[in-house]
Amino acid sequence: MSGLTFFTTNPLVVLNLRQTDGATNLLANPRIRVKNRDKAKIHIGEKVPVITTTSTANVGVSSSVSYLDTGLKLDVEPNIYLDDEVAIKVQLEVSNIIEQLNVSGTIAYRLGTRNTATTLRLRDGETQVLAGLISDEDRRAANKVPGLAELPLLGRLFSSNLDERKKTDIVLLITPRVVRSLARREGTAAEFPAGTDANPGAPPMLLRPTAARSVSLAPGAGAAPAAPTASAAAAAPGRSVSLLWAAPSQAIAGREFAVNVGLPPGAEARTARLEIAYDPKVLQAIGGTPIGEGRVALDVQGPVAAGASAAPSELRFRVLATAPTSTQLRIEGAGAIDFGGGPVSVIAPGAHTVNVVAQ
């Protein structure tokens, strides 16, 4: 037995203790100048080569290289307004290589991407923050010896664990600054002489404000004050006079119209107080003295002197109705006027109908 040697080998023990911590803060401050309504592009990252192999019969194998952009790509298109505000169309894309693949001898890449598109409107020098493009990855992997790795406490000696966590956040701050813009001219400086071929250099044509007008009337809708009758003109104490009444027969919904009431010759330097009734659901009185719902008082003046024209009093109404309808105006409670030689009665016309038409 002297030719035999007995031995035992020492067990191979491998201890793998490793912990890696890393933190990266990437700060870029690109500045770019672009003309109004033109596009600008910013790319911060890498160009990854991608090799493509093409095999052709009776020709052979050819290869071509193309480049893939990864990293941060920003496209902006500004639109500048006269009040130094800037509307910006923003397209942001962030991509990175996750894995490199080998497919039949051709290298390919698996990419992760995050993108957003929006339109902002900012003042000159105002800063807007775009954030929320957060990526959070948590990976855990383990290589274990079957059975032994499951032992409490000692199981860690028979396994290799790999814990990997990646968290990224992208924050974009955009601050537009207008380098040069158009200056808004004053209204007076924007005026210029205008004329015609026959009269060049004529004063400029301007639109000036005018006094308030009554509502538009249909042809023939306006009623002119009737000429005083002989009996009215020769009115004397103890007699009566008829009111001069002018009111449209049509009015447009939502607008205003005017009613003119006056005293004829023969009532010089005299005043009569009238009460006019209307439908408050259809019309609204503007002026006069309200004396109740749907009633308004109006003082009517006579001519200043004999032979002078009457000076009618105006009362305006606003049409409240929105749909076509018909309503009436009535003069009630016409008071008597005193000529010194006795009272003179005031004869009021009957009810006047106003047709409301759509606008």
Side-chain angles (χ1 to χ4, degrees):
M1 298 296 294
S2 59
L4 297 177
T5 304
F6 296 93
F7 64 91
T8 59
T9 60
N10 295 327
L12 180 61
V13 178
V14 177
L15 183 63
N16 183 9
L17 298 177
R18 185 179 68 174
Q19 180 178 354
T20 303
D21 294 334
T24 303
N25 184 17
L26 180 60
L27 178 63
N29 186 23
R31 296 187 179 184
I32 189 169
R33 181 169 178 172
V34 60
K35 190 174 69 171
N36 187 27
R37 298 183 181 179
D38 276 359
K39 293 183 179 180
K41 297 183 178 182
I42 300 175
H43 177 215
I44 303 175
E46 300 177 350
K47 286 184 174 291
V48 179
V50 178
I51 301 176
T52 304
T53 302
T54 305
S55 179
T56 307
N58 300 327
V59 175
V61 179
S62 60
S63 299
S64 62
V65 180
S66 60
Y67 291 90
L68 182 65
D69 293 334
T70 62
L72 185 146
K73 292 191 293 184
L74 178 63
D75 297 347
V76 296
E77 182 179 354
N79 187 4
I80 304 174
Y81 296 90
L82 290 179
D83 52 359
D84 285 341
E85 289 190 353
V86 183
I88 307 177
K89 294 182 179 179
V90 181
Q91 292 184 350
L92 175 64
E93 180 181 349
V94 180
S95 59
N96 62 301
I97 299 176
I98 298 178
E99 184 181 1
Q100 180 176 330
L101 305 175
N102 191 339
V103 182
S104 301
T106 302
I107 298 177
Y109 299 94
R110 187 163 64 93
L111 301 180
T113 180
R114 287 167 284 171
N115 55 72
T116 182
T118 185
T119 302
L120 306 175
R121 182 161 180 170
L122 309 173
R123 293 187 179 276
D124 183 18
E126 181 181 359
T127 300
Q128 178 67 49
V129 179
L130 292 179
L133 298 177
I134 301 174
S135 175
D136 193 354
E137 299 180 6
D138 191 356
R139 299 180 181 180
R140 301 175 185 269
N143 296 323
K144 302 179 180 180
V145 176
L148 298 178
E150 306 300 331
L151 295 175
L153 300 179
L154 298 178
R156 303 286 292 185
L157 300 175
F158 301 96
S159 64
S160 176
N161 297 304
L162 176 61
D163 296 340
E164 182 180 3
R165 184 174 183 180
K166 296 181 180 179
K167 184 176 182 180
T168 60
D169 188 10
I170 299 173
V171 179
L172 176 65
L173 288 82
I174 299 180
T175 305
R177 299 191 182 277
V178 180
V179 178
R180 185 172 59 253
S181 180
L182 295 177
R184 185 189 295 270
R185 302 179 64 182
E186 298 293 337
T188 55
E191 298 179 359
F192 57 91
T196 63
D197 293 340
N199 187 18
M205 296 178 292
L206 301 177
L207 296 178
R208 302 186 184 276
T210 59
R213 299 288 184 180
S214 61
V215 67
S216 300
L217 304 178
T229 61
S231 59
R239 303 289 297 276
S240 62
V241 294
S242 299
L243 286 175
L244 301 179
W245 172 272
S249 60
Q250 289 186 359
I252 299 178
R255 298 190 182 179
E256 299 180 7
F257 65 91
V259 175
N260 293 321
V261 184
L263 292 174
E268 290 80 3
R270 296 298 186 268
T271 301
R273 188 172 183 84
L274 309 178
E275 295 181 6
I276 301 177
Y278 60 93
D279 188 353
K281 297 181 180 179
V282 181
L283 302 176
Q284 177 186 2
I286 303 175
T289 303
I291 56 176
E293 185 178 7
R295 298 177 68 86
V296 62
L298 181 66
D299 292 334
V300 180
Q301 303 290 334
V304 178
S309 59
S313 299
E314 182 182 86
L315 180 63
R316 303 186 66 83
F317 290 91
R318 178 180 291 113
V319 181
L320 301 180
T322 57
T325 186
S326 178
T327 187
Q328 289 185 342
L329 297 175
R330 300 182 305 277
I331 297 181
E332 301 177 353
I337 55 178
D338 190 358
F339 277 85
V344 176
S345 301
V346 177
I347 301 177
H352 180 79
T353 301
V354 177
N355 297 316
V356 178
V357 298
Q359 186 172 2

